[in-house]
């Protein structure tokens, strides 16, 4: 079966089942190719007739083998600015809308990933779910205004904002309410949302931040240093996308702490100041925020290291690398050793808190202290993979309900399905404009712990998070 939606750009034909309609590969901007490569997104050209929207669009250029692309039935192209829409019906109803920004260090990922299939969530919540592709890596993050002009910076963020504007203007044709848009993002997707909030973006009404390393918005100097490493691309002719990807692979992304060389940067245009600074010093859009992390975010990354790596000296060095000069690395290490059985667990927990938990807590705490509604959580659901704990990315399977797409992350048994049901119910309540649990009201405030025995706790790990209060570098 098919269904047709009528946008102001033209009509679209999607796939229809008994209870969900999906429109795939919907263009939200003109192709950023040729002379538009380093330009902000432009409006999509109109078309006549009914355009097919039954196949996912190409994903943004990234480091992925042709074999993996073919196995997943995907193509890759700079012509990638498309989105996907799951809706109970393309009718005149005004359903809440959830727009999801994928993670991947702003260098990998795509909105057509099976893990992000929006059918279950749209069906269960009677909402409209939107995922999207945007420019990634160097093509989405190069900070070189002297090469390509001021409008060439933070192109991934500009793409995301353009997509959100498209949703405001067009989602009514798909049964959605343009006045009830929640934007959600995981990992680098959450970082992008924090940057948009810092920039005063008013294109959404609620925000969900999942596992965002919010301290990774880059300083101007750090972004310029990455561009300097790519100086060979500044030739008289535009480099081929293959040359750009090859140069991108030579950029050190760091490990501890992760550098995030392709994350948004303070460019004085899209982003004037770091989100952690903006949250503390001035009002951001006064919208409700639901935010949190998984308990053991970093374990999945440390899993590549052998147990023999985690010596006392290595863990002390990691503590110093995170805390920085002027802080007592031995005291940091001692605190985490007191809470964790092994050196590996302590070392992973440090990065989890430094990179994910503490900056998220600081960001939403400041927002809450200005009188805004904040709902904070920690996901404690264990991955079935030994040693992973409640790891990074496990929230995705639970929120979207696609447990079969990545069973190693959250499991795929009856208990995992019950956990997914519980998480979905809370997220959907927030998306509908409700208050899913008690508001977070500052340091040590109510935090929903999501695990086999879900419940709200106060003072949860406040002493560990306090370690990182003044450990982030100066931004600007």
């Amino acid at each position: 079966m098919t269904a047709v939606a009528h946008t102001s750009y033209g009509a679209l034909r999607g796939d229809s089942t008994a209870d969900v309609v999906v429109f795939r590969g919907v263009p939200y901007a003109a192709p950023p190719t040729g002379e538009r490569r380093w330009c902000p997104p432009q409006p999509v050209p109109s078309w006549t007739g009914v355009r097919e929207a039954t196949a996912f669009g190409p994903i943004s250029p990234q480091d992925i083998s042709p074999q993996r692309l073919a196995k997943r039935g995907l193509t890759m192209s700079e012509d990638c600015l498309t989105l996907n829409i799951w809706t109970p019906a393309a009718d005149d109803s005004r359903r809440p809308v959830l727009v999801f920004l994928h993670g991947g260090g702003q260098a990998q990922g795509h909105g057509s990933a099976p893990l992000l299939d929006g059918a279950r969530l749209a069906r269960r919540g009677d909402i409209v779910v939107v995922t999207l592709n945007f420019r990634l890596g160097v093509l989405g993050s190069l900070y070189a205004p002297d090469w390509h002009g001021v409008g060439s910076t933070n192109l991934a963020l500009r793409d995301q904002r353009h997509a959100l504007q498209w949703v405001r203007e067009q989602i009514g044709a798909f049964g959605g309410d343009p006045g009830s848009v929640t934007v959600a993002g995981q990992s680098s997707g959450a970082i992008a949302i924090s940057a948009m909030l810092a920039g005063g973006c008013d294109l959404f009404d609620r925000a969900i931040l999942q596992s965002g390393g919010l301290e990774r918005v880059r300083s101007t100097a750090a972004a310029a240093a990455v561009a300097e490493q790519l100086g060979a691309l500044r030739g008289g002719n535009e480099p081929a996308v293959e040359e750009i990807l090859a140069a991108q692979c030579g950029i050190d992304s760091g490990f501890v702490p992760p550098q995030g060389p392709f994350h948004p940067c303070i460019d004085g245009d899209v982003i004037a100041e770091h989100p952690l600074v903006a949250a503390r010093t001035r009002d951001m859009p006064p919208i409700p925020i639901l935010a949190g992390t998984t308990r053991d975010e970093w374990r999945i990354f440390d899993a590549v290291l052998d147990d023999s790596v985690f010596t006392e000296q290595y863990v002390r060095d990691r503590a110093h690398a995170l805390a920085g000069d002027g802080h007592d690395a031995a005291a940091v290490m001692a605190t985490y050793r007191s809470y964790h059985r092994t050196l590996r667990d302590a070392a992973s927990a440090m990065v989890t808190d430094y990179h994910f938990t503490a900056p998220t807590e600081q960001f939403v705490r400041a927002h809450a202290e200005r009188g805004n509604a904040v709902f904070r959580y920690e996901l404690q659901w264990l991955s079935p993979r030994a040693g992973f704990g409640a790891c990074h990315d496990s929230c995705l399977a639970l929120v979207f309900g696609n447990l079969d797409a990545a069973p190693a992350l959250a499991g795929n048994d009856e208990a995992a399905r019950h956990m997914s049901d519980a998480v979905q119910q809370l997220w959907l309540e927030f998306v509908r404009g409700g208050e899913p649990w008690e508001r977070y009201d500052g340091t040590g405030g109510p935090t929903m712990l999501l695990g086999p025995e879900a419940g709200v706790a106060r003072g949860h790990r406040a002493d560990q998070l306090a370690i990182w209060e003044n450990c982030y570098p100066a931004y600007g």
Side-chain angles (χ1 to χ4, degrees):
M1 296 175 61
T2 62
V4 176
H6 296 274
T7 75
S8 60
Y9 299 100
L12 291 158
R13 180 181 288 111
D15 283 333
S16 176
T17 63
D19 50 8
V20 174
V21 183
V22 56
F23 296 84
R24 303 179 181 92
V26 177
Y28 66 84
T33 55
E35 294 181 352
R36 290 191 292 265
R37 171 182 272 178
W38 304 109
C39 294
Q42 304 298 311
V44 62
S46 299
W47 61 88
T48 58
V50 180
R51 180 171 180 153
E52 294 296 323
T54 55
F56 290 120
I59 68 172
S60 178
Q62 54 196 275
D63 185 19
I64 182 172
S65 70
Q67 293 78 15
R68 289 180 65 193
L69 275 174
K71 184 178 180 180
R72 298 178 184 182
L74 298 171
T75 58
M76 190 164 66
S77 169
E78 288 187 74
D79 181 6
C80 62
L81 301 187
T82 61
L83 49 77
N84 314 297
I85 303 168
W86 289 264
T87 178
D91 55 19
D92 294 330
S93 297
R94 288 293 180 262
R95 299 176 180 86
V97 179
L98 175 65
V99 180
F100 192 86
L101 307 182
H102 69 75
Q106 205 166 281
Q108 294 182 311
H110 51 91
S112 50
L115 201 57
L116 306 183
D117 186 294
R120 287 184 173 91
L121 206 52
R123 181 185 302 117
R124 174 172 183 168
D126 192 30
I127 66 171
V128 178
V129 178
V130 180
T131 65
L132 58 138
N133 295 335
F134 38 87
R135 281 174 278 189
L136 296 174
V138 171
L139 290 167
S141 68
L142 180 66
Y143 178 75
D146 57 330
W147 298 7
H148 305 297
V150 173
S152 66
T153 60
N154 282 318
L155 290 175
L157 209 59
R158 295 176 195 267
D159 291 346
Q160 293 159 358
R161 294 194 313 182
H162 194 87
L164 287 165
Q165 183 65 55
W166 189 98
V167 168
R168 282 284 203 213
E169 296 171 355
Q170 307 297 329
I171 205 65
F174 302 87
D177 182 356
S180 181
V181 175
T182 300
V183 64
Q186 188 263 350
S187 197
S188 59
I191 297 171
I193 294 170
S194 74
M196 283 190 268
L197 286 168
C201 182
D202 61 356
L203 296 173
F204 44 89
D205 307 288
R206 287 169 292 279
I208 299 176
L209 309 179
Q210 299 175 203
S211 300
L214 304 190
E215 97 289 356
R216 284 300 93 189
V217 171
R218 299 174 297 157
S219 69
T220 309
V226 171
E228 188 175 330
Q229 296 179 63
L230 297 164
L233 296 177
R234 187 187 182 182
N237 299 316
E238 276 294 328
V241 68
E242 293 79 10
E243 295 177 81
I244 293 175
L245 289 177
Q248 178 176 310
C249 289
I251 302 296
D252 182 12
S253 60
F255 189 65
V256 176
Q259 299 303 305
F262 308 113
H263 286 155
C265 72
I266 300 167
D267 61 355
D269 183 10
V270 180
I271 308 174
E273 59 185 341
H274 196 280
L276 294 181
V277 175
R280 288 195 304 265
T281 59
R282 60 178 174 80
D283 290 335
M284 298 187 299
I287 64 169
I289 295 177
L290 186 155
T293 55
T294 71
R295 188 188 64 193
D296 309 305
E297 298 271 8
W298 197 252
R299 283 196 191 181
I300 196 171
F301 302 102
D302 269 345
V304 300
L305 302 178
D306 188 80
D307 280 340
S308 62
V309 170
F310 295 94
T311 63
E312 290 275 349
Q313 186 60 51
Y314 177 85
V315 178
R316 187 176 295 108
D317 290 345
R318 177 175 284 196
H320 182 265
L322 294 170
D325 295 333
H327 295 87
D328 190 343
V332 172
M333 179 177 171
T335 297
Y336 279 88
R337 285 289 279 133
S338 70
Y339 282 97
H340 298 278
R341 185 176 58 85
T342 68
L343 284 166
R344 174 188 282 274
D345 289 348
S348 291
M350 287 179 200
V351 192
T352 290
D353 286 349
Y354 172 89
H355 184 49
F356 297 100
T357 318
T360 296
E361 192 277 336
Q362 291 176 26
F363 185 75
V364 299
R365 181 208 315 160
H367 195 61
E369 289 174 347
R370 292 181 181 274
N372 301 299
V374 168
F375 306 94
R376 184 165 173 254
Y377 75 89
E378 181 179 274
L379 182 63
Q380 300 182 335
W381 184 255
L382 298 180
S383 164
R385 184 71 65 87
F388 275 21
C391 65
H392 194 63
D393 288 345
S394 59
C395 59
L396 295 174
L398 297 172
V399 169
F400 282 88
N402 299 319
L403 298 171
D404 53 339
L409 289 177
N412 193 21
D413 56 9
E414 184 177 359
R417 289 190 288 274
H418 283 309
M419 187 74 254
S420 178
D421 286 344
V423 171
Q424 284 188 335
Q425 189 60 37
L426 294 170
W427 263 236
L428 287 168
E429 186 171 348
F430 180 79
V431 168
R432 295 190 192 103
E435 301 202 356
W437 59 84
E438 192 177 353
R439 291 187 181 190
Y440 188 68
D441 55 9
T443 303
T447 299
M448 173 62 78
L449 307 182
L450 294 167
E453 297 180 3
V456 173
R458 284 186 172 272
H460 180 62
R461 299 202 301 112
D463 56 337
Q464 294 161 75
L465 298 185
I467 289 174
W468 311 108
E469 195 66 32
N470 300 302
C471 289
Y472 298 117
Y475 296 102

